[in-house]
Amino acid sequence: MTIKFGTISVEVRNYCSLLIELTKREFSKSHHGTIGGVFWPLGEPLSMLVIYTVFFGVILQGRWGFSGTPLEYGFALFSGLIIFNFFAECFRQFPLLISANPNYVKKIVFPLELLPVVTILTALIHALIATAIWCAGYAILIGFPKWTALISPLILLSMIPMLLALGWALSVIGLLTKDINQVTGLLIQALLFLTPIFYGLDIVPENLKFWIRLNPLTYLVEQFRLMLIYGVMPGLRGLAVFILFSSVLAGLAYFLFRRVRSTFTDLI
């Protein structure tokens, strides 16, 4: 079995203009018809920052392994949520990408492999907006962020191969069984608490740390938080291994997607 990984980037380049238009439409569709309109992508992360800071930092008196203020705890918590929400927004939609677009499958010749890419790019825009809100809020309320905050979106970009692998695989599985929708919903809820978002990894008991670290979101959240709050560069070797492993999985998932593409019409 030979997988030509280069064909993935070639196909994306060939449909670049289509990809841009679909992403713009998907982004605007999520806020179309609302009173807030394009302001929702700004207001949503800002409101969540306030809510989590008050609830977890003030009411529950949460702290992050140091004697910090509720405000600092809120920013630490919200930085983890940026990564998680990026993942969850994609993961929730992947199983329905093909079944929710039967016209693309039956009536026209359409590069269906771009659907997960559009979902990822739309969620990435939301994550970048949330990161900008985090940096602006931190600068106003606490102080100017560390310079590494400027390159923290690299962690978001490093997630793309992993999300592509999940997108191509889950969109196929979603055609085969509707149960996957319920499974992904349960997994998202479980991962929210199995990822060190509301707590620091340093307070996890030693006998559980291994299992928490098996969750790839743990590594991503920790690296993102280190860059935003502590000004620490990510471990480049670990990041390279993560991207390489994710890229191999993405290649395998892409091969699977193209292999069964001809059966989609029968499965819709």
Side-chain angles (χ1 to χ4, degrees), residues 174-203:
L175 281 177
L176 300 175
T177 173
K178 302 300 181 184
D179 294 334
I180 191 65
N181 300 326
Q182 282 69 38
V183 173
T184 53
L186 290 173
L187 282 175
I188 289 173
Q189 294 181 41
L191 286 172
L192 179 61
F193 295 99
L194 293 176
T195 305
I197 296 173
F198 303 102
Y199 53 89
L201 196 59
D202 55 308
I203 69 170

PDB file of all heavy atoms in Angstrom, residues 174-203:
ATOM      1  N   GLY A 174     -19.095   8.254  10.360  1.00  0.00           N
ATOM      2  CA  GLY A 174     -20.412   8.832  10.563  1.00  0.00           C
ATOM      3  C   GLY A 174     -21.436   8.375   9.544  1.00  0.00           C
ATOM      4  O   GLY A 174     -22.648   8.383   9.813  1.00  0.00           O
ATOM      5  N   LEU A 175     -20.966   7.978   8.351  1.00  0.00           N
ATOM      6  CA  LEU A 175     -21.874   7.427   7.345  1.00  0.00           C
ATOM      7  C   LEU A 175     -22.258   5.993   7.660  1.00  0.00           C
ATOM      8  O   LEU A 175     -23.348   5.537   7.308  1.00  0.00           O
ATOM      9  CB  LEU A 175     -21.217   7.479   5.965  1.00  0.00           C
ATOM     10  CG  LEU A 175     -21.216   8.819   5.238  1.00  0.00           C
ATOM     11  CD1 LEU A 175     -20.465   8.692   3.920  1.00  0.00           C
ATOM     12  CD2 LEU A 175     -22.627   9.316   4.991  1.00  0.00           C
ATOM     13  N   LEU A 176     -21.362   5.277   8.321  1.00  0.00           N
ATOM     14  CA  LEU A 176     -21.592   3.865   8.586  1.00  0.00           C
ATOM     15  C   LEU A 176     -22.488   3.637   9.795  1.00  0.00           C
ATOM     16  O   LEU A 176     -23.258   2.682   9.844  1.00  0.00           O
ATOM     17  CB  LEU A 176     -20.249   3.152   8.802  1.00  0.00           C
ATOM     18  CG  LEU A 176     -19.271   3.204   7.624  1.00  0.00           C
ATOM     19  CD1 LEU A 176     -17.944   2.572   8.011  1.00  0.00           C
ATOM     20  CD2 LEU A 176     -19.867   2.506   6.409  1.00  0.00           C
ATOM     21  N   THR A 177     -22.378   4.501  10.791  1.00  0.00           N
ATOM     22  CA  THR A 177     -23.188   4.354  11.994  1.00  0.00           C
ATOM     23  C   THR A 177     -23.512   5.708  12.594  1.00  0.00           C
ATOM     24  O   THR A 177     -22.643   6.568  12.711  1.00  0.00           O
ATOM     25  CB  THR A 177     -22.468   3.484  13.048  1.00  0.00           C
ATOM     26  OG1 THR A 177     -23.216   3.503  14.262  1.00  0.00           O
ATOM     27  CG2 THR A 177     -21.065   3.989  13.307  1.00  0.00           C
ATOM     28  N   LYS A 178     -24.756   5.907  12.960  1.00  0.00           N
ATOM     29  CA  LYS A 178     -25.183   7.152  13.587  1.00  0.00           C
ATOM     30  C   LYS A 178     -24.775   7.208  15.057  1.00  0.00           C
ATOM     31  O   LYS A 178     -24.813   8.275  15.681  1.00  0.00           O
ATOM     32  CB  LYS A 178     -26.702   7.310  13.483  1.00  0.00           C
ATOM     33  CG  LYS A 178     -27.232   7.282  12.053  1.00  0.00           C
ATOM     34  CD  LYS A 178     -26.643   8.389  11.204  1.00  0.00           C
ATOM     35  CE  LYS A 178     -27.195   8.356   9.791  1.00  0.00           C
ATOM     36  NZ  LYS A 178     -26.557   9.369   8.925  1.00  0.00           N
ATOM     37  N   ASP A 179     -24.395   6.059  15.621  1.00  0.00           N
ATOM     38  CA  ASP A 179     -24.012   6.026  17.033  1.00  0.00           C
ATOM     39  C   ASP A 179     -22.790   6.877  17.325  1.00  0.00           C
ATOM     40  O   ASP A 179     -22.575   7.306  18.463  1.00  0.00           O
ATOM     41  CB  ASP A 179     -23.739   4.585  17.474  1.00  0.00           C
ATOM     42  CG  ASP A 179     -24.996   3.725  17.448  1.00  0.00           C
ATOM     43  OD1 ASP A 179     -26.092   4.304  17.576  1.00  0.00           O
ATOM     44  OD2 ASP A 179     -24.879   2.505  17.279  1.00  0.00           O
ATOM     45  N   ILE A 180     -21.980   7.119  16.305  1.00  0.00           N
ATOM     46  CA  ILE A 180     -20.755   7.874  16.513  1.00  0.00           C
ATOM     47  C   ILE A 180     -21.057   9.284  17.009  1.00  0.00           C
ATOM     48  O   ILE A 180     -20.250   9.889  17.723  1.00  0.00           O
ATOM     49  CB  ILE A 180     -19.926   7.914  15.200  1.00  0.00           C
ATOM     50  CG1 ILE A 180     -18.519   8.464  15.468  1.00  0.00           C
ATOM     51  CG2 ILE A 180     -20.634   8.737  14.143  1.00  0.00           C
ATOM     52  CD1 ILE A 180     -17.669   7.629  16.354  1.00  0.00           C
ATOM     53  N   ASN A 181     -22.224   9.827  16.665  1.00  0.00           N
ATOM     54  CA  ASN A 181     -22.589  11.168  17.133  1.00  0.00           C
ATOM     55  C   ASN A 181     -22.715  11.211  18.651  1.00  0.00           C
ATOM     56  O   ASN A 181     -22.255  12.156  19.300  1.00  0.00           O
ATOM     57  CB  ASN A 181     -23.906  11.614  16.491  1.00  0.00           C
ATOM     58  CG  ASN A 181     -23.827  11.667  14.985  1.00  0.00           C
ATOM     59  OD1 ASN A 181     -22.790  11.985  14.419  1.00  0.00           O
ATOM     60  ND2 ASN A 181     -24.931  11.349  14.325  1.00  0.00           N
ATOM     61  N   GLN A 182     -23.352  10.175  19.222  1.00  0.00           N
ATOM     62  CA  GLN A 182     -23.482  10.108  20.668  1.00  0.00           C
ATOM     63  C   GLN A 182     -22.129   9.864  21.339  1.00  0.00           C
ATOM     64  O   GLN A 182     -21.833  10.421  22.396  1.00  0.00           O
ATOM     65  CB  GLN A 182     -24.459   9.002  21.070  1.00  0.00           C
ATOM     66  CG  GLN A 182     -25.926   9.354  20.901  1.00  0.00           C
ATOM     67  CD  GLN A 182     -26.348   9.489  19.447  1.00  0.00           C
ATOM     68  OE1 GLN A 182     -25.906   8.734  18.594  1.00  0.00           O
ATOM     69  NE2 GLN A 182     -27.204  10.462  19.169  1.00  0.00           N
ATOM     70  N   VAL A 183     -21.311   9.038  20.676  1.00  0.00           N
ATOM     71  CA  VAL A 183     -19.990   8.727  21.235  1.00  0.00           C
ATOM     72  C   VAL A 183     -19.109   9.968  21.289  1.00  0.00           C
ATOM     73  O   VAL A 183     -18.441  10.233  22.296  1.00  0.00           O
ATOM     74  CB  VAL A 183     -19.308   7.617  20.412  1.00  0.00           C
ATOM     75  CG1 VAL A 183     -17.856   7.406  20.877  1.00  0.00           C
ATOM     76  CG2 VAL A 183     -20.082   6.306  20.537  1.00  0.00           C
ATOM     77  N   THR A 184     -19.106  10.742  20.209  1.00  0.00           N
ATOM     78  CA  THR A 184     -18.277  11.952  20.194  1.00  0.00           C
ATOM     79  C   THR A 184     -18.750  12.954  21.240  1.00  0.00           C
ATOM     80  O   THR A 184     -17.931  13.634  21.865  1.00  0.00           O
ATOM     81  CB  THR A 184     -18.292  12.604  18.799  1.00  0.00           C
ATOM     82  OG1 THR A 184     -19.647  12.823  18.375  1.00  0.00           O
ATOM     83  CG2 THR A 184     -17.577  11.745  17.784  1.00  0.00           C
ATOM     84  N   GLY A 185     -20.065  13.044  21.440  1.00  0.00           N
ATOM     85  CA  GLY A 185     -20.586  13.943  22.465  1.00  0.00           C
ATOM     86  C   GLY A 185     -20.097  13.555  23.856  1.00  0.00           C
ATOM     87  O   GLY A 185     -19.693  14.420  24.653  1.00  0.00           O
ATOM     88  N   LEU A 186     -20.122  12.257  24.144  1.00  0.00           N
ATOM     89  CA  LEU A 186     -19.643  11.780  25.444  1.00  0.00           C
ATOM     90  C   LEU A 186     -18.144  11.995  25.602  1.00  0.00           C
ATOM     91  O   LEU A 186     -17.664  12.366  26.680  1.00  0.00           O
ATOM     92  CB  LEU A 186     -19.985  10.291  25.599  1.00  0.00           C
ATOM     93  CG  LEU A 186     -21.461   9.941  25.765  1.00  0.00           C
ATOM     94  CD1 LEU A 186     -21.663   8.436  25.745  1.00  0.00           C
ATOM     95  CD2 LEU A 186     -22.007  10.526  27.064  1.00  0.00           C
ATOM     96  N   LEU A 187     -17.413  11.768  24.524  1.00  0.00           N
ATOM     97  CA  LEU A 187     -15.957  11.948  24.577  1.00  0.00           C
ATOM     98  C   LEU A 187     -15.579  13.404  24.831  1.00  0.00           C
ATOM     99  O   LEU A 187     -14.637  13.692  25.577  1.00  0.00           O
ATOM    100  CB  LEU A 187     -15.317  11.464  23.270  1.00  0.00           C
ATOM    101  CG  LEU A 187     -15.164   9.958  23.108  1.00  0.00           C
ATOM    102  CD1 LEU A 187     -14.626   9.623  21.716  1.00  0.00           C
ATOM    103  CD2 LEU A 187     -14.227   9.393  24.176  1.00  0.00           C
ATOM    104  N   ILE A 188     -16.312  14.325  24.220  1.00  0.00           N
ATOM    105  CA  ILE A 188     -16.025  15.741  24.435  1.00  0.00           C
ATOM    106  C   ILE A 188     -16.224  16.110  25.902  1.00  0.00           C
ATOM    107  O   ILE A 188     -15.397  16.817  26.502  1.00  0.00           O
ATOM    108  CB  ILE A 188     -16.911  16.615  23.528  1.00  0.00           C
ATOM    109  CG1 ILE A 188     -16.458  16.490  22.066  1.00  0.00           C
ATOM    110  CG2 ILE A 188     -16.873  18.080  23.968  1.00  0.00           C
ATOM    111  CD1 ILE A 188     -17.371  17.179  21.079  1.00  0.00           C
ATOM    112  N   GLN A 189     -17.312  15.619  26.492  1.00  0.00           N
ATOM    113  CA  GLN A 189     -17.564  15.907  27.902  1.00  0.00           C
ATOM    114  C   GLN A 189     -16.486  15.303  28.789  1.00  0.00           C
ATOM    115  O   GLN A 189     -16.023  15.933  29.750  1.00  0.00           O
ATOM    116  CB  GLN A 189     -18.933  15.358  28.306  1.00  0.00           C
ATOM    117  CG  GLN A 189     -20.114  16.052  27.630  1.00  0.00           C
ATOM    118  CD  GLN A 189     -21.434  15.483  28.072  1.00  0.00           C
ATOM    119  OE1 GLN A 189     -21.639  15.185  29.251  1.00  0.00           O
ATOM    120  NE2 GLN A 189     -22.355  15.325  27.150  1.00  0.00           N
ATOM    121  N   ALA A 190     -16.079  14.073  28.463  1.00  0.00           N
ATOM    122  CA  ALA A 190     -15.040  13.417  29.267  1.00  0.00           C
ATOM    123  C   ALA A 190     -13.699  14.126  29.123  1.00  0.00           C
ATOM    124  O   ALA A 190     -12.995  14.355  30.122  1.00  0.00           O
ATOM    125  CB  ALA A 190     -14.917  11.949  28.842  1.00  0.00           C
ATOM    126  N   LEU A 191     -13.347  14.497  27.900  1.00  0.00           N
ATOM    127  CA  LEU A 191     -12.055  15.137  27.661  1.00  0.00           C
ATOM    128  C   LEU A 191     -11.962  16.507  28.323  1.00  0.00           C
ATOM    129  O   LEU A 191     -10.861  16.963  28.665  1.00  0.00           O
ATOM    130  CB  LEU A 191     -11.808  15.267  26.154  1.00  0.00           C
ATOM    131  CG  LEU A 191     -11.458  13.976  25.420  1.00  0.00           C
ATOM    132  CD1 LEU A 191     -11.425  14.214  23.915  1.00  0.00           C
ATOM    133  CD2 LEU A 191     -10.105  13.437  25.896  1.00  0.00           C
ATOM    134  N   LEU A 192     -13.102  17.168  28.506  1.00  0.00           N
ATOM    135  CA  LEU A 192     -13.091  18.471  29.156  1.00  0.00           C
ATOM    136  C   LEU A 192     -12.510  18.372  30.567  1.00  0.00           C
ATOM    137  O   LEU A 192     -11.820  19.281  31.035  1.00  0.00           O
ATOM    138  CB  LEU A 192     -14.519  19.038  29.218  1.00  0.00           C
ATOM    139  CG  LEU A 192     -14.675  20.406  29.903  1.00  0.00           C
ATOM    140  CD1 LEU A 192     -13.878  21.478  29.162  1.00  0.00           C
ATOM    141  CD2 LEU A 192     -16.146  20.796  29.972  1.00  0.00           C
ATOM    142  N   PHE A 193     -12.774  17.239  31.240  1.00  0.00           N
ATOM    143  CA  PHE A 193     -12.287  17.068  32.605  1.00  0.00           C
ATOM    144  C   PHE A 193     -11.013  16.224  32.669  1.00  0.00           C
ATOM    145  O   PHE A 193     -10.328  16.226  33.697  1.00  0.00           O
ATOM    146  CB  PHE A 193     -13.379  16.442  33.478  1.00  0.00           C
ATOM    147  CG  PHE A 193     -14.584  17.331  33.634  1.00  0.00           C
ATOM    148  CD1 PHE A 193     -15.721  17.149  32.858  1.00  0.00           C
ATOM    149  CD2 PHE A 193     -14.565  18.387  34.542  1.00  0.00           C
ATOM    150  CE1 PHE A 193     -16.821  17.986  32.985  1.00  0.00           C
ATOM    151  CE2 PHE A 193     -15.659  19.229  34.683  1.00  0.00           C
ATOM    152  CZ  PHE A 193     -16.786  19.036  33.903  1.00  0.00           C
ATOM    153  N   LEU A 194     -10.708  15.514  31.601  1.00  0.00           N
ATOM    154  CA  LEU A 194      -9.473  14.729  31.550  1.00  0.00           C
ATOM    155  C   LEU A 194      -8.316  15.525  30.963  1.00  0.00           C
ATOM    156  O   LEU A 194      -7.216  15.014  30.814  1.00  0.00           O
ATOM    157  CB  LEU A 194      -9.695  13.447  30.720  1.00  0.00           C
ATOM    158  CG  LEU A 194     -10.658  12.431  31.332  1.00  0.00           C
ATOM    159  CD1 LEU A 194     -10.879  11.264  30.381  1.00  0.00           C
ATOM    160  CD2 LEU A 194     -10.123  11.930  32.674  1.00  0.00           C
ATOM    161  N   THR A 195      -8.588  16.767  30.612  1.00  0.00           N
ATOM    162  CA  THR A 195      -7.555  17.678  30.133  1.00  0.00           C
ATOM    163  C   THR A 195      -7.327  18.724  31.213  1.00  0.00           C
ATOM    164  O   THR A 195      -8.298  19.239  31.779  1.00  0.00           O
ATOM    165  CB  THR A 195      -8.011  18.369  28.824  1.00  0.00           C
ATOM    166  OG1 THR A 195      -8.363  17.377  27.863  1.00  0.00           O
ATOM    167  CG2 THR A 195      -6.899  19.235  28.259  1.00  0.00           C
ATOM    168  N   PRO A 196      -6.076  19.052  31.540  1.00  0.00           N
ATOM    169  CA  PRO A 196      -5.807  20.022  32.622  1.00  0.00           C
ATOM    170  C   PRO A 196      -6.176  21.451  32.240  1.00  0.00           C
ATOM    171  O   PRO A 196      -5.316  22.283  31.958  1.00  0.00           O
ATOM    172  CB  PRO A 196      -4.300  19.873  32.863  1.00  0.00           C
ATOM    173  CG  PRO A 196      -3.761  19.358  31.569  1.00  0.00           C
ATOM    174  CD  PRO A 196      -4.834  18.475  31.000  1.00  0.00           C
ATOM    175  N   ILE A 197      -7.480  21.693  32.206  1.00  0.00           N
ATOM    176  CA  ILE A 197      -8.003  23.027  31.879  1.00  0.00           C
ATOM    177  C   ILE A 197      -8.392  23.756  33.152  1.00  0.00           C
ATOM    178  O   ILE A 197      -7.960  24.885  33.395  1.00  0.00           O
ATOM    179  CB  ILE A 197      -9.219  22.920  30.942  1.00  0.00           C
ATOM    180  CG1 ILE A 197      -8.795  22.311  29.604  1.00  0.00           C
ATOM    181  CG2 ILE A 197      -9.861  24.293  30.731  1.00  0.00           C
ATOM    182  CD1 ILE A 197      -9.944  22.017  28.679  1.00  0.00           C
ATOM    183  N   PHE A 198      -9.197  23.103  34.000  1.00  0.00           N
ATOM    184  CA  PHE A 198      -9.658  23.711  35.244  1.00  0.00           C
ATOM    185  C   PHE A 198      -8.661  23.502  36.381  1.00  0.00           C
ATOM    186  O   PHE A 198      -8.872  23.992  37.486  1.00  0.00           O
ATOM    187  CB  PHE A 198     -11.015  23.127  35.647  1.00  0.00           C
ATOM    188  CG  PHE A 198     -12.071  23.303  34.588  1.00  0.00           C
ATOM    189  CD1 PHE A 198     -12.438  22.252  33.765  1.00  0.00           C
ATOM    190  CD2 PHE A 198     -12.680  24.530  34.396  1.00  0.00           C
ATOM    191  CE1 PHE A 198     -13.402  22.407  32.774  1.00  0.00           C
ATOM    192  CE2 PHE A 198     -13.649  24.702  33.415  1.00  0.00           C
ATOM    193  CZ  PHE A 198     -14.001  23.642  32.608  1.00  0.00           C
ATOM    194  N   TYR A 199      -7.605  22.774  36.105  1.00  0.00           N
ATOM    195  CA  TYR A 199      -6.601  22.477  37.133  1.00  0.00           C
ATOM    196  C   TYR A 199      -5.237  22.368  36.456  1.00  0.00           C
ATOM    197  O   TYR A 199      -5.136  22.213  35.241  1.00  0.00           O
ATOM    198  CB  TYR A 199      -6.925  21.156  37.839  1.00  0.00           C
ATOM    199  CG  TYR A 199      -7.114  19.989  36.884  1.00  0.00           C
ATOM    200  CD1 TYR A 199      -6.038  19.204  36.480  1.00  0.00           C
ATOM    201  CD2 TYR A 199      -8.372  19.687  36.375  1.00  0.00           C
ATOM    202  CE1 TYR A 199      -6.203  18.147  35.599  1.00  0.00           C
ATOM    203  CE2 TYR A 199      -8.553  18.637  35.487  1.00  0.00           C
ATOM    204  CZ  TYR A 199      -7.465  17.870  35.109  1.00  0.00           C
ATOM    205  OH  TYR A 199      -7.635  16.826  34.225  1.00  0.00           O
ATOM    206  N   GLY A 200      -4.210  22.490  37.248  1.00  0.00           N
ATOM    207  CA  GLY A 200      -2.857  22.335  36.730  1.00  0.00           C
ATOM    208  C   GLY A 200      -2.407  20.891  36.822  1.00  0.00           C
ATOM    209  O   GLY A 200      -2.851  20.141  37.704  1.00  0.00           O
ATOM    210  N   LEU A 201      -1.514  20.489  35.944  1.00  0.00           N
ATOM    211  CA  LEU A 201      -1.035  19.104  35.942  1.00  0.00           C
ATOM    212  C   LEU A 201      -0.272  18.787  37.214  1.00  0.00           C
ATOM    213  O   LEU A 201      -0.177  17.625  37.614  1.00  0.00           O
ATOM    214  CB  LEU A 201      -0.144  18.876  34.718  1.00  0.00           C
ATOM    215  CG  LEU A 201       0.162  17.434  34.321  1.00  0.00           C
ATOM    216  CD1 LEU A 201      -1.110  16.657  34.030  1.00  0.00           C
ATOM    217  CD2 LEU A 201       1.094  17.396  33.117  1.00  0.00           C
ATOM    218  N   ASP A 202       0.245  19.809  37.876  1.00  0.00           N
ATOM    219  CA  ASP A 202       1.043  19.593  39.089  1.00  0.00           C
ATOM    220  C   ASP A 202       0.212  19.092  40.263  1.00  0.00           C
ATOM    221  O   ASP A 202       0.770  18.518  41.213  1.00  0.00           O
ATOM    222  CB  ASP A 202       1.755  20.889  39.485  1.00  0.00           C
ATOM    223  CG  ASP A 202       0.795  22.045  39.652  1.00  0.00           C
ATOM    224  OD1 ASP A 202       0.002  22.289  38.727  1.00  0.00           O
ATOM    225  OD2 ASP A 202       0.829  22.712  40.711  1.00  0.00           O
ATOM    226  N   ILE A 203      -1.121  19.279  40.241  1.00  0.00           N
ATOM    227  CA  ILE A 203      -1.945  18.819  41.362  1.00  0.00           C
ATOM    228  C   ILE A 203      -2.535  17.434  41.104  1.00  0.00           C
ATOM    229  O   ILE A 203      -3.216  16.883  41.965  1.00  0.00           O
ATOM    230  CB  ILE A 203      -3.083  19.817  41.662  1.00  0.00           C
ATOM    231  CG1 ILE A 203      -4.129  19.815  40.531  1.00  0.00           C
ATOM    232  CG2 ILE A 203      -2.548  21.209  41.911  1.00  0.00           C
ATOM    233  CD1 ILE A 203      -5.383  20.588  40.865  1.00  0.00           C
TER     234      ILE A 203
END
